[in-house]
Structures are given as structure tokens and as C-alpha cells.
Amino acid sequence: MELRKLFTPFLLLTLVANSNCQQTPPLRIIPQPLAVAMSEGEFTLNSDTRIYIPEAQTDWEMAARYFVLLAEQSTGYRLAIVPITKEMREPRPNSIYFLPGNTDHPEGYSMEITPKGVFIRAKTAAGAFYAVQTLRQLFPPE
């Protein structure tokens, strides 16, 4: 079963200028992102994948718990949710991070998907929840 391979090729869902001006084929997700840059590689979700959320922010935890539920239903993995602490210096590989970030809209978000991890930046917990909606659409259909 190829559910563990989450993204092929990995996606960089941030505002990035395309230097050679070629059109990127649209993703089949709703709503369509404002910008997408695709590169080689993949992020693989497995039983060791961890979900990191801002410490002491229970509203952000709801978005993470929803993703954990979706992942468990699809793969059988029970992913751990871990608070981001001040002691953390480097991102842990094979993890999904929910991070505070600035967006133009309170419910907006940016998502960077690399072979080492997924980094979701949102201004609010609602933005993090909408990012989960995008992330779930990137899973294989099985």
C-alpha cells in the first residue's frame, strides 16, 4: 500500500517566482493555492512521524488532532502530537510542524513540503485547520 508516500514530487506551497516562466499544472485541490512550486523528492509519512504544535496553544492542537485522526484512518498510524519548546534548536526530520506565521488573511497559511518535513505557517488556528484540509487532499486516494 503506497499511503505512506505522501507526496511525489514534493510541493512547496509558498509564493515563489518561477524563473523559467513555465506553467505548473494545477493541483486538484480545493481551494487552489495562490502559488505552487514543485521539485523532486517526497515526504513519507510513517509510524515515527511526529506532529509539532506551538506550546500552550490548545486551539492549534485541534487542527493537529484532526490531521492525526485522518492519518490514523488512512494508514493505521497513531501519530504523536508534541509541543514545540524553547529548547528545540533544529527541526526533527520526518515531522509535521504547525508554526505561527504572518499571512495577509487571518485564515491564510503557507505550506512547505520537503523530504525532511512539512512546515505549515498560519496566523491563526483557523489557518492551520485549512492547511490540514489541503494536506489531506495531497494523500493518495486509497
Side-chain angles (χ1 to χ4, degrees):
M1 184 181 262
E2 289 297 312
L3 290 176
R4 292 176 191 94
K5 299 217 180 210
L6 186 55
F7 311 104
T8 306
F10 80 79
L11 305 174
L12 177 62
L13 298 176
T14 56
L15 300 174
V16 177
N18 190 346
S19 62
N20 60 8
C21 298
Q22 293 178 347
Q23 285 290 87
T24 303
L27 291 173
R28 296 179 189 254
I29 57 175
I30 298 172
Q32 279 287 308
L34 293 176
V36 176
M38 299 178 98
S39 298
E40 294 297 319
E42 62 191 25
F43 173 80
T44 303
L45 184 76
N46 62 39
S47 61
D48 192 42
T49 300
R50 294 200 185 138
I51 312 297
Y52 286 90
I53 60 170
E55 190 172 36
Q57 302 230 1
T58 56
D59 52 344
W60 285 64
E61 187 175 351
M62 289 176 28
R65 286 195 183 281
Y66 181 59
F67 178 78
V68 166
L69 176 67
L70 293 171
E72 185 174 1
Q73 290 172 346
S74 306
T75 64
Y77 300 148
R78 300 198 78 192
L79 305 177
I81 298 175
V82 182
I84 300 169
T85 63
K86 293 178 183 176
E87 292 79 33
M88 293 181 72
R89 300 284 181 236
E90 296 284 324
R92 179 187 177 274
N94 191 30
S95 296
I96 299 172
Y97 286 85
F98 289 85
L99 303 165
N102 288 328
T103 59
D104 292 336
H105 191 278
E107 295 175 351
Y109 62 89
S110 66
M111 185 182 319
E112 180 181 3
I113 302 169
T114 72
K116 292 184 178 184
V118 177
F119 303 90
I120 295 168
R121 290 174 179 79
K123 188 181 279 189
T124 64
F129 177 78
Y130 292 127
V132 168
Q133 298 305 314
T134 298
L135 193 57
R136 72 183 285 223
Q137 293 178 67
L138 296 173
F139 273 98
E142 303 93 43

